[in-house]
Amino acid sequence: MFSALADPTRRRILDALAAHGEATATVLAAELPVSRQAVVKHLGVLDQAGLVTGHREGREARYRVTPERLGATARWMDRVAAAWDSRLSAIKRLAEGE
């Protein structure tokens, strides 16, 4: 998931999907400085990471963000950040002689 989110174009695609609720690769490509084919490849990476889902509607595939996966990742990152905050506070107390 983190490698999928590391790419700025994929983050922009997620932002656009969140704003639209649901969109096709053609709609997304019109808003981004990349081709439709590039958007389709990025959507494939996001889909494999579980960050978006797609379904066929006629001849087009429509995509939407999978909020559950993002929420689970955000909660995990909050726990890791809290643990590091605790560790850094302990180091600070030791360094300041408290």
Side-chain angles (χ1 to χ4, degrees):
M1 171 173 327
F2 290 113
S3 63
L5 290 173
D7 185 278
T9 301
R10 287 194 278 272
R11 289 193 307 270
R12 288 182 70 186
I13 289 171
L14 282 173
D15 289 342
L17 280 174
H20 287 284
E22 188 174 90
T24 64
T26 303
V27 168
L28 295 169
E31 297 179 16
L32 299 167
V34 294
S35 68
R36 181 189 175 284
Q37 291 80 8
V39 169
V40 169
K41 287 183 181 182
H42 284 299
L43 286 167
V45 172
L46 293 168
D47 186 32
Q48 284 183 328
L51 297 169
V52 300
T53 57
H55 67 278
R56 304 277 319 154
E57 200 170 283
R59 291 178 31 188
E60 293 186 314
R62 301 186 68 78
Y63 293 88
R64 61 183 157 81
V65 174
T66 308
E68 301 83 21
R69 180 82 163 138
L70 286 171
T73 302
R75 288 188 298 278
W76 175 80
M77 290 174 68
D78 284 343
R79 287 191 305 272
V80 170
W84 274 105
D85 285 345
S86 175
R87 289 179 187 132
L88 291 173
S89 292
I91 291 170
K92 181 180 177 190
R93 283 192 305 276
L94 288 171
E96 293 175 346
E98 292 179 12

